[in-house]
Amino acid sequence: VPEEAQAEVVVVGAGLTGLILAGELAARGVDVRVLERRSVGATDEPGPLLEGLHYPYGVARKILGAGRVRDLWRLTIESRRIVSSLGPTTTTGSNRVGERPHEVEALRESAALLQADGFEAEWTGEALRVPGDAAIDPAALVRRLAASLVVCEHTTARRIDDRAPQLRVITDRGDVACEAVALATGASTGELVPFFESIVYPVRRRCALWSARAPGPLRTPRVSADGRRLGWQRPDGRILAVESTPLSDAPEQSWDQMLGFSCDELPCVGPVPGSVRLFVCAGFHGNALGPACARMLAQIITTGRSEYPYRMLDPRRHVI
Ligand SMILES: Cc1cc2nc3c(=O)[nH]c(=O)nc-3n(C[C@H](O)[C@H](O)[C@H](O)COP(=O)(O)OP(=O)(O)OC[C@H]3O[C@@H](n4cnc5c(N)ncnc54)[C@H](O)[C@@H]3O)c2cc1C
């Protein structure tokens, strides 16, 4: 970061969300600069981009309400559409499987409810199959997105000074003066804005990768009913597992991934309470909501509204 750098909008975080947000802003003529504390593509992500929320559709409707769940489901499909327009995706479909009788029943019921609401899903007798689910190479995608943007890697945003006439992002490598800041900082959002400490909280997921082997049954990603565990044989033959061990030999690589969960299971997209120039886009609860929410926030920042259902995601709902 050059001393006294300037930008119209600073995006903090160069994960998939931050880079799509920055690209959307740049496409609307905004002078945008991205700050990333690591290097771009360092975030290990599972490759599947799965439709829907982590728990079955019918269960989600009981918890969040039918209208909100339908809107969120559509946003995950929109995320897949946005990502497909940005780079190669492989259509894999996915199989959601229950281990206990009530999980099997919830998935079977969800298949019927999804069909009734116009979503593509079927009950195979053993699994809820979503044919349109796809997978991406997230590291390659973020590197490609970053190549056309101004991204300052290895630059940690330490603090945001929202009191001065011009907003300032204080980093460990110099300050950036700007008109607005957007946080796409995932699980770390509360570190920069304490208001989010108990609203977007980190949840660890253990991921492992096994060496390539002959094609097997996991070529279609297999996801547990609660969305927590996943097994998938990638196109390169390697087997990826999240919170599960589908093979008896030791994996060649394993790592922890931190997800930003949300206290009410809904993302926070919009202005940070108390500010008109600080925005947030985080709390996806491990669901494929980041890309659509990034486009939503770009629309909010540039026009004050969005074509998507944005009011239910407004962070100001958390103000007591
Ligand atoms: C089992 C499992 C299944 C998943 N399924 C899906 C799925 O189907 N679809 C999907 O989209 N996602 C899925 N995810 C989540 C996905 O991997 C990403 O975590 C998610 O897309 C959020 O991306 P993000 O860009 O918002 O956050 P992150 O990828 O966490 O990026 C945030 C970035 O901000 C940077 N940062 C944070 N604080 C600062 C700071 N102060 N200064 C500078 N930089 C900072 C971080 O270094 C990081 O690069 C899944 C994850 C798991 C484990």
Side-chain angles (χ1 to χ4, degrees):
V1 180
E3 258 178 49
E4 286 306 312
Q6 294 261 354
E8 277 179 285
V9 177
V10 169
V11 173
V12 184
L16 198 50
T17 306
L19 291 170
I20 291 177
L21 170 60
E24 292 278 335
L25 289 168
R28 289 166 170 78
V30 176
D31 169 28
V32 58
R33 182 178 288 256
V34 185
L35 309 180
E36 168 55 50
R37 67 182 170 193
R38 297 186 287 184
S39 50
V40 171
T43 315
D44 283 308
E45 290 189 23
L49 201 68
L50 304 175
E51 189 175 311
L53 306 182
H54 51 290
Y55 33 38
Y57 193 66
V59 178
R61 279 163 50 118
K62 284 179 195 136
I63 295 171
L64 294 172
R68 282 203 294 196
V69 169
R70 200 167 40 240
D71 285 346
L72 289 164
W73 227 265
R74 286 188 184 134
L75 281 177
T76 63
I77 295 171
E78 178 67 355
S79 283
R80 194 172 63 208
R81 209 180 57 75
I82 291 170
V83 168
S84 322
S85 72
L86 297 171
T89 54
T90 310
T91 301
T92 57
S94 71
N95 287 321
R96 277 251 179 167
V97 288
E99 281 158 22
R100 288 171 288 186
H102 73 272
E103 292 175 339
V104 174
E105 181 50 29
L107 290 172
R108 197 191 55 74
E109 178 207 38
S110 293
L113 290 168
L114 283 164
Q115 284 170 1
D117 278 353
F119 295 105
E120 277 189 57
E122 56 170 333
W123 177 245
T124 65
E126 288 174 354
L128 190 165
R129 181 164 168 69
V130 178
D133 272 335
I136 54 168
D137 179 343
L141 177 61
V142 290
R143 282 191 211 110
R144 194 167 46 252
L145 295 175
S148 59
L149 294 162
V150 181
V151 183
C152 306
E153 297 179 285
H154 307 290
T155 304
T156 303
R158 298 280 177 211
R159 193 165 60 79
I160 295 156
D161 184 355
D162 195 6
R163 287 162 309 173
Q166 206 177 11
L167 193 57
R168 298 185 81 77
V169 184
I170 319 299
T171 85
D172 51 356
R173 300 179 65 200
D175 299 355
V176 192
C178 55
E179 289 166 28
V181 175
L183 305 177
T185 37
S188 308
T189 303
E191 291 169 23
L192 262 178
V193 179
F195 176 80
F196 290 106
E197 262 170 12
S198 56
I199 292 173
V200 176
Y201 58 96
V203 169
R204 190 183 304 272
R205 288 280 184 267
R206 188 81 187 140
C207 304
L209 198 58
W210 279 264
S211 53
R213 52 203 71 209
L218 286 180
R219 269 194 297 179
T220 300
R222 184 184 161 94
V223 189
S224 62
D226 62 5
R228 195 160 179 264
R229 293 186 303 286
L230 174 140
W232 176 47
Q233 184 168 24
R234 304 181 348 167
D236 63 8
R238 293 197 286 174
I239 304 231
L240 172 79
V242 181
E243 295 287 329
S244 60
T245 44
L247 301 170
S248 53
D249 52 323
E252 79 180 18
Q253 199 187 332
S254 59
W255 69 98
D256 284 337
Q257 194 194 28
M258 299 307 283
L259 296 178
F261 269 41
S262 160
C263 66
D264 63 357
E265 315 223 355
L266 300 174
C268 284
V269 184
V272 171
S275 178
V276 289
R277 46 189 191 172
L278 183 53
F279 299 85
V280 66
C281 193
F284 305 121
H285 223 90
N287 300 310
L289 290 160
C293 289
R295 178 169 289 175
M296 181 188 291
L297 184 58
Q299 293 173 351
I300 292 171
I301 291 174
T302 52
T303 70
R305 50 192 304 120
S306 171
E307 67 182 291
Y308 301 118
Y310 63 101
R311 292 190 200 281
M312 67 173 171
L313 308 184
D314 191 327
R316 291 172 293 194
R317 70 186 182 276
H318 292 294
V319 178
I320 299 161

